Amino acid sequence: MATHGVHRRGWRAVVALLASSVIVAGCSGSSANNGGDTSCADFLEMNGSEQTEVITKFMEDEGRDLSGANVNLHKLSAIAFCNTVGMPDSKIREIDGK
């Protein structure tokens, strides 16, 4: 069923678009979202949805795949980085070694 894979990709695109719309709408009333320039200290103080918004902006700015699994993987990587080798003033973009 070759069309099944195409159908899934279509739904994923729709979900990604809707998620982006919600994130953009949600950012208008919240504090500044600095994406990859967010410090570990600030990132760890955020709730889960705020962390997801920051990671999504970071990934958008880098031109990366915004699939839900990819965003979650980067979010978990940032949490692990900030709780281990990252310093309070480290930026979450450093999870990539930059």
Side-chain angles (χ1 to χ4, degrees):
M1 302 221 157
T3 59
H4 186 64
V6 172
H7 184 67
R8 273 192 189 164
R9 282 189 294 251
W11 277 109
R12 286 181 185 157
V14 169
V15 169
L17 179 61
L18 290 174
S20 298
S21 299
V22 169
I23 289 168
V24 169
C27 289
S28 62
S30 63
S31 60
N33 179 344
N34 295 320
D37 289 325
T38 302
S39 70
C40 280
D42 290 341
F43 186 75
L44 292 175
E45 290 179 5
M46 296 176 178
N47 65 39
S49 63
E50 291 170 330
Q51 289 176 338
T52 300
E53 290 174 8
V54 167
I55 293 297
T56 301
K57 181 176 183 334
F58 164 55
M59 292 177 66
E60 282 177 343
D61 292 347
E62 297 283 317
R64 298 186 184 198
D65 174 22
L66 294 174
S67 67
N70 219 11
V71 171
N72 286 333
L73 176 63
H74 277 76
K75 180 178 167 181
L76 292 173
S77 294
I79 291 168
F81 169 78
C82 290
N83 280 309
T84 56
V85 298
M87 303 300 288
D89 62 343
S90 295
K91 306 300 183 197
I92 62 164
R93 72 171 172 272
E94 295 173 32
I95 61 175
D96 290 333
K98 294 180 183 177

